[in-house]
Amino acid sequence: MIEPGPVQTDWTGRRWRLGHPGRPPIAPQMLLLPDQRVGGSDDDSRRSWAFRDGALTLSGADGMPSVRFDRLKVHFDEWRLGGTELATGAAIELNETLPAQVPIDRIGSVDAVPLHGGPRRDFLVIVHAGSRTLHHRWERDIDDSARNWDLLLSCSSGDPGPGRDEADLFCEQSHIGTTRLLYCLLHPESALWDYRYIMLCDEQIMLRWSDLNRLFVRMVEHRLLIGQPAMGPDGHVEHEITRARPDLLLRYTTFVDRAAPVFEPSVLRLAVPTFGTVYLGQGMDHLWCFLIGRPRGRMAVIDDVAVTLTDPIGGRYRAEIGDVEEELICRTYGLQPDARELGFIAR
Amino acid sequence: MMQPTEGDPPDRTLLLTRPWRLAGASPGADADATYFLPDGRIGGAVPDGAASWDVADGRLVLRDRAGRRFASFVNAPADPLAVEADRRAARPPTLRLDGHRGADDAALSLTALESRQAVAPGSAIRPIGARSGRRNLVVVHAGLGTAWETWSRDLAPADRNWDLCLVWHDHPDGRPDRPDAQYHAIAFRTERWEAMHRLFPSGGKLSGYDRVALADERIGWSWSGINLAFNLAHAYDLSLAHPALDRDPRSSLRFASAIGDLCPIFSRHALALCAPCLGDDAADERGPRWAARLGVPAHRIAILDDASIAAPDGIGAAMPAGARVLGRIDRSDPPAPATPQGEGVPA
């Protein structure tokens, strides 16, 4: 018999390896997410988890139980669960495992410094600052007081480039990559987690201030866990699914790419540890969608807000190196890249 | 009830529990039966230009879509004559807020309206029974020999995620010998929607459920279908839902501008707002009226194609005439599962 116990993070704070005894894992890095969904697995028969009648039960998209674990053994602090696959009667195991990737180096945490006084706004936009950054050219089509977002510039080159003073927050850590600076900035105790949504905006994105206001409003309205603006016709498109559809308000998808993702903080907390493990970041977007179980109706490309990617991200490094990194991520987590539309809301 | 003091911050509980009439000195400012919803939206008659509300700096603030102040209000000074009139009539004191519209400084006032929710004690229908701990409730306006008695019991009773309330309309004593039901109520010779109205007074025994389905006794359903319908409504955080009658094979669910009244499923909050008017409208007006009253965006109202019901021709529809489909979540097969891999590859 297995009982939930008083501390939910005993279950949600671990990584799990799901598989049949003596066989390669079905899901090498599975997560029991705090909202009762299952992450790190694409199988529709394992979409949610709960404790029922003395067992940890996994259920499918149809709400029907599919796997039942009723035996728990703690082996040198490592949790091992034994159970049964209900459709076949086969034995199945859920064993605690270590995160598949560990941070490349230990840099410590970095905190952002406020550049101006004034109350903090609801939402946060983080842009990596450098000579190529475009944030200082964003069209100011609304008054500064009407913004619902703060701008944080992160700088790792020693030269934040133009427009540093336009930021609300600034952080600096020289000689580490963009993604790993985010890893240091979004440390577990960071004050940034109090924002309602956090956008990681590529420095080569061009937009208007009102676009960001509307983007965050749409995220809230539609309760999205991850979303992104659509990519407008005048710029580059990294993934075809992100190309703007002017006739729609948004499209629900299984994928949000790395050009301008907007995260609900609990989701970003899941993704951040992987930031410390990559060099270029290619494939990271597939990973964070996979880790949260690609929840239907909670991920979307927001066509109501179209921005312009002026320079393809993938064009900034050698493609074969990026491909190797993406392949490694997919292999490590047992994930299949999956970028599909799952529905829409019309204007 | 205490009369609020002039200049005090408006009481949030009062704001949430009463309908309000907005009146202004200028044309276009009036709105009848406005509701302040707990999540900051405005339901019912929404004043032109207003989109959300909050209490800030001791004032009730209405905001436009961009978050700018549309109008703000404080408690109005008590009118001694009105207080005396209320006292003589033994009714709660009249509540009024005074304010100004931001754009032109026009004077506005908000007056709390009486709600039909305050059903006279003698007219309330009192269910007998006790809650089981489940999160959802199905209410059937029941008589003998109709379809509800033949709903397929294709689940173990312990796996039901819903309680059942039978409201008997064809027998003066009801039939309390039905073990599947947690509640019984008598509404002898009372029309269905009048009975529903009288069953849900504010704070009544049935008010604690997350979601409530008000099922017509003539529909065909199954226990697992009911489970699924509640799971879908919960997963997509729907305020109003209706199982499909003519199932769209492409969709898991379709977002709609309104639903029909054969088997509406209300969220707790939606039911609290709509209960006062359940007995008011003609059949074809009910669904649109509920949608308007809630003031929810389209993606909170849906037809559930994955959880359909059967019904004889001509007794109603999942979507009323004139309502529109505004989007959908697709049915979709997940991508082919990843081939099981070897152990995770560390970076």
Side-chain angles (χ1 to χ4, degrees):
Chain A
M1 173 171 282
I2 299 178
E3 298 293 344
V7 185
Q8 195 195 31
T9 48
D10 279 351
W11 299 92
T12 57
R14 297 168 194 264
R15 293 288 175 103
W16 303 93
R17 188 176 63 245
L18 177 75
H20 299 289
R23 298 178 60 185
I26 301 167
Q29 290 278 312
M30 208 176 89
L31 291 143
L32 304 175
L33 300 173
D35 61 359
Q36 307 296 130
R37 288 181 306 100
V38 170
S41 165
D42 271 334
D43 194 311
D44 254 4
S45 71
R46 299 184 293 269
R47 287 294 180 200
S48 65
W49 66 278
F51 290 98
R52 291 167 71 167
D53 304 328
L56 170 68
T57 305
L58 307 185
S59 297
D62 58 0
M64 300 303 285
S66 59
V67 181
R68 198 178 133 87
F69 297 101
D70 53 7
R71 298 184 302 281
L72 168 66
K73 196 163 106 182
V74 179
H75 181 73
F76 293 108
D77 287 341
E78 183 185 305
W79 291 24
R80 297 178 176 180
L81 282 75
T84 310
E85 208 169 37
L86 298 180
T88 62
I92 192 163
E93 295 175 338
L94 189 65
N95 294 334
E96 186 183 357
T97 187
L98 292 171
Q101 296 170 300
V102 293
I104 295 163
D105 42 23
R106 305 236 174 241
I107 312 154
S109 56
V110 175
D111 283 309
V113 185
L115 296 182
H116 311 293
R120 166 177 168 141
R121 299 174 178 95
D122 281 353
F123 309 106
L124 178 67
V125 179
I126 302 179
V127 178
H128 191 70
S131 57
R132 293 154 50 90
T133 185
L134 296 178
H135 75 275
H136 60 288
R137 291 171 53 194
W138 291 349
E139 184 184 339
R140 299 175 175 216
D141 60 336
I142 56 172
D143 192 73
D144 187 62
S145 64
R147 273 197 290 150
N148 60 11
W149 45 274
D150 285 336
L151 176 65
L152 187 158
L153 284 183
S154 66
C155 177
S156 61
S157 63
D159 173 17
R164 177 185 183 277
D165 292 340
E166 295 177 22
D168 302 288
L169 298 148
F170 183 75
C171 80
E172 189 161 21
Q173 178 73 51
S174 296
H175 310 305
I176 59 172
T178 314
T179 316
R180 277 185 285 157
L181 177 52
L182 286 173
Y183 171 72
C184 301
L185 179 66
L186 294 164
H187 60 85
E189 284 78 39
S190 170
L192 301 180
W193 295 115
D194 291 339
Y195 283 98
R196 290 176 70 188
Y197 280 100
I198 298 174
M199 179 187 197
L200 307 182
C201 186
D202 186 80
E203 68 259 37
Q204 293 286 294
I205 292 278
M206 183 57 99
L207 47 73
R208 294 173 301 187
W209 279 16
S210 65
D211 290 335
L212 290 173
N213 267 39
R214 208 163 63 257
L215 177 67
F216 287 117
V217 168
R218 294 284 177 252
M219 292 293 298
V220 172
E221 273 180 359
H222 295 270
R223 298 183 316 124
L224 298 177
L225 292 175
I226 311 183
Q228 67 165 95
M231 294 298 145
D234 300 330
H236 297 273
V237 171
E238 293 267 302
H239 296 88
E240 198 53 36
I241 196 173
T242 66
R243 189 182 296 281
R245 285 274 310 269
D247 53 326
L248 299 178
L249 190 69
L250 61 78
R251 283 164 292 143
Y252 294 113
T253 58
T254 59
F255 176 72
V256 162
D257 83 2
R258 59 182 162 155
V262 184
F263 294 86
E264 198 270 339
S266 68
V267 171
L268 187 55
R269 276 185 190 268
L270 278 176
V272 164
T274 66
F275 294 177
T277 67
V278 295
Y279 285 100
L280 302 173
Q282 183 167 323
M284 218 167 50
D285 37 17
H286 286 295
L287 177 56
W288 65 53
C289 299
F290 179 71
L291 285 178
I292 65 159
R294 304 186 215 275
R296 282 184 174 212
R298 307 294 300 275
M299 301 171 57
V301 173
I302 298 172
D303 294 296
D304 190 35
V305 180
V307 300
T308 303
L309 178 61
T310 58
D311 179 39
I313 301 172
R316 300 173 206 167
Y317 52 80
R318 282 172 55 196
E320 56 270 31
I321 299 177
D323 291 345
V324 165
E325 187 168 52
E326 180 169 335
E327 193 186 322
L328 181 65
I329 288 174
C330 291
R331 201 147 42 91
T332 303
Y333 288 86
L335 79 86
Q336 290 272 76
D338 177 14
R340 287 173 298 147
E341 293 178 10
L342 285 180
F344 67 90
I345 293 184
R347 279 184 189 273
Chain B
M1 185 183 294
M2 292 285 290
Q3 176 73 37
T5 308
E6 179 186 359
D8 275 359
D11 184 301
R12 188 178 163 85
T13 305
L14 286 176
L15 288 169
L16 287 171
T17 51
R18 304 283 288 273
W20 295 80
R21 174 178 292 128
L22 175 69
S26 55
D30 290 7
D32 274 337
T34 297
Y35 290 83
F36 298 106
L37 308 181
D39 60 2
R41 289 176 300 105
I42 299 173
V46 181
D48 283 348
S52 64
W53 72 278
D54 56 75
V55 176
D57 305 327
R59 291 169 171 266
L60 165 67
V61 180
L62 309 191
R63 298 184 188 276
D64 66 13
R65 290 185 69 82
R68 290 182 288 253
R69 282 189 185 217
F70 166 78
S72 58
F73 298 86
V74 291
N75 287 326
D79 176 352
L81 293 177
V83 170
E84 179 58 19
D86 289 336
R87 192 188 64 76
R88 283 170 186 256
R91 64 186 176 219
T94 302
L95 303 172
R96 209 184 83 222
L97 306 175
D98 284 345
H100 290 86
R101 191 162 56 188
D104 54 8
D105 208 32
L108 302 170
S109 73
L110 275 166
T111 307
L113 302 175
E114 286 304 307
S115 168
R116 271 196 65 184
Q117 227 160 323
V119 177
S123 68
I125 294 174
R126 301 191 185 282
I128 298 165
R131 185 173 175 168
S132 71
R134 297 174 177 123
R135 297 165 61 185
N136 309 302
L137 175 69
V138 177
V139 179
V140 185
H141 186 237
L144 281 188
T146 46
W148 73 271
E149 289 192 289
T150 64
W151 289 354
S152 166
R153 292 166 165 78
D154 55 353
L155 276 183
D159 287 336
R160 270 174 32 183
N161 62 15
W162 44 278
D163 284 344
L164 177 63
C165 175
L166 296 173
V167 182
W168 296 100
H169 64 77
D170 68 341
H171 194 283
D173 299 323
R175 296 176 182 84
D177 57 341
R178 302 300 171 103
D180 292 335
Q182 282 63 48
Y183 305 94
H184 296 266
I186 310 295
F188 186 49
R189 292 180 180 161
T190 307
E191 188 273 333
R192 177 181 169 215
W193 287 105
E194 179 58 23
M196 295 301 111
H197 168 59
R198 289 165 53 186
L199 189 65
F200 287 99
S202 174
K205 191 178 234 176
L206 304 181
S207 61
Y209 287 92
D210 285 356
R211 285 192 164 71
V212 177
L214 305 181
D216 189 293
E217 61 183 327
R218 296 167 293 178
I219 64 169
W221 217 356
S222 68
W223 283 17
S224 66
I226 300 173
N227 264 30
L228 184 53
F230 282 123
N231 285 345
L232 284 169
H234 175 71
Y236 293 101
D237 196 23
L238 300 174
S239 297
L240 283 174
H242 198 294
L245 278 167
D246 296 315
R247 183 175 182 169
D248 181 340
R250 296 169 304 171
S251 304
S252 180
L253 59 82
R254 285 166 287 162
F255 298 110
S257 58
I259 59 165
D261 69 350
L262 267 184
C263 187
I265 300 172
F266 293 83
S267 69
R268 181 190 313 199
H269 179 64
L271 184 59
L273 280 176
C274 292
C277 67
L278 286 179
D280 285 357
D281 305 307
D284 55 348
E285 292 171 10
R286 243 172 238 125
R289 184 69 65 91
W290 295 333
R293 192 174 180 92
L294 295 179
V296 292
H299 62 281
R300 294 287 172 85
I301 301 175
I303 307 299
L304 308 174
D305 290 299
D306 271 349
S308 57
I309 54 172
D313 286 344
I315 69 163
M319 204 162 68
R324 291 176 302 129
V325 171
L326 301 167
R328 67 166 190 256
I329 302 271
D330 294 344
R331 292 175 68 85
S332 88
D333 298 322
T339 310
Q341 303 290 330
E343 291 293 317
V345 181

